[in-house]
Amino acid sequence: MWHVHLEAPAPTRLGVLLPRRDLAAGWMLMVLIAALAWVLTIGQARHMGMEPGTMGLALPLFLVLWVVMMAAMMLPSVAPVALTWVRGISRRPAGPAVRALHVAEFVSGYLLAWTGFGLLAYGALAVTGRLVEGSADAGRWIGAGAFLLAGLYQFGPLKGVCLRHCRNPMFQLVRYSRFRPWAKDLRVGAHHGLYCVGCCWGLMIVLIPLGLMNVAAMAGVAAVIFLEKLWRRGPWLTWVVGIALLVMAALAPFQDWLLPGLENAPPMEEMSRMTGLL
């Protein structure tokens, strides 16, 4: 529940609501989905470079790739909320297959919220590509601006509100239980997804300078998101990451290694052939 004091609340503890067997089965399902999404993302990254902009992708194809990326990066951190909702809060007696269906509907709504953000990301990437193409130095300042915005947002009030929800969503989940039955799991997942977008969009924009298909950067961002939400000291990590991003903003105009996503680079397979690794 919400706590009005300076110390951040601990993340939701599922062991109180869920039997360990159900908790383990749910976690395995979510981890398997995330692992499959990582395999697909890494496979796609091998065929694509880290060029600025939309990488030549049309909007529908970009959104498909974006949803797969979000499944890979976000599902491990959203698993506790999905499982708590389906098994602990909604309290609908059902077998494993039916519960898995409810989890899938929740996750679909969650990813729908991130798809909406993907539309904005596509527009931002398209503008970025045009600016970098028109000016050799534009990428340096775009990168610095992305790091600066992400760093400042880490300290902002909206980040704090959304992070508190993601770390301790029990109050909202109880309210969701009064939703009308029609597409209930889908709507609950989408509503929680909006909070998650509010919590994490700043971290996502650092993929503009670091590279949208930069697997190492994606893994790093996913790890920060996971720890922010589930680690007891997650709020402190938020501040540490914010300071690091501000330092990167100051360095970006002078350090090309911080801007691989704003320089044209060959696909990973091509780079491997060039270095004789394949």
Side-chain angles (χ1 to χ4, degrees):
M1 298 178 66
W2 294 77
H3 296 264
V4 186
H5 52 73
L6 295 178
E7 183 180 354
T12 301
R13 295 180 59 188
L14 296 182
V16 176
L17 292 175
L18 302 179
R20 290 185 178 180
R21 183 176 62 182
D22 291 346
L23 182 59
W27 267 103
M28 287 179 61
L29 175 63
M30 298 291 274
V31 168
L32 284 174
I33 296 173
L36 177 60
W38 273 112
V39 169
L40 294 174
T41 300
I42 293 171
Q44 189 63 35
R46 291 182 60 85
H47 298 284
M48 299 176 66
M50 289 191 292
E51 61 184 271
T54 61
M55 299 166 293
L57 297 175
L59 178 59
L61 184 56
F62 174 86
L63 288 179
V64 171
L65 178 61
W66 177 263
V67 169
V68 173
M69 287 173 54
M70 293 304 100
M73 296 175 66
M74 307 302 296
L75 288 191
S77 64
V78 80
V81 181
L83 299 177
T84 302
W85 164 253
V86 170
R87 183 64 176 143
I89 299 296
S90 58
R91 297 189 182 280
R92 290 164 294 194
V98 176
R99 285 203 298 271
L101 188 61
H102 287 308
V103 171
E105 190 175 350
F106 180 99
V107 170
S108 297
Y110 178 83
L111 293 177
L112 185 63
W114 276 106
T115 301
F117 181 73
L119 292 170
L120 299 177
Y122 185 84
L125 288 168
V127 172
T128 296
R130 294 192 187 98
L131 291 175
V132 172
E133 184 179 353
S135 172
D137 293 328
R140 298 178 181 275
W141 301 108
I142 291 172
F147 288 127
L148 178 63
L149 180 59
L152 292 176
Y153 189 72
Q154 290 291 102
F155 304 102
L158 182 58
K159 168 81 177 189
V161 169
C162 294
L163 182 58
R164 283 195 296 272
H165 168 86
C166 291
R167 286 177 57 81
N168 202 14
M170 296 301 298
F171 176 75
Q172 280 292 97
L173 290 180
V174 172
R175 290 186 59 192
Y176 293 155
S177 65
R178 298 196 290 267
F179 277 16
R180 294 179 180 178
W182 181 81
K184 189 172 185 177
D185 297 308
L186 183 73
R187 289 183 291 127
V188 171
H191 196 276
H192 178 70
L194 290 176
Y195 273 101
C196 194
V197 170
C199 177
C200 305
W201 73 266
L203 293 171
M204 289 297 175
I205 66 171
V206 304
L207 294 179
I208 293 177
L210 295 179
L212 189 65
M213 297 307 298
N214 186 335
V215 175
M218 282 189 283
V221 170
V224 169
I225 290 171
F226 183 88
L227 292 173
E228 276 189 342
K229 292 181 179 180
L230 301 181
W231 187 30
R232 187 169 63 89
R233 301 189 182 277
W236 290 102
L237 177 65
T238 298
W239 284 67
V240 171
V241 171
I243 293 171
L245 289 171
L246 294 179
V247 172
M248 294 168 73
L251 295 176
F254 317 104
Q255 301 292 329
D256 291 341
W257 62 272
L258 287 172
L259 308 171
L262 295 172
E263 300 176 351
N264 290 316
M268 292 174 61
E269 284 190 344
E270 184 178 338
M271 291 177 65
S272 297
R273 293 191 188 98
M274 293 169 59
T275 57
L277 297 177
L278 290 181

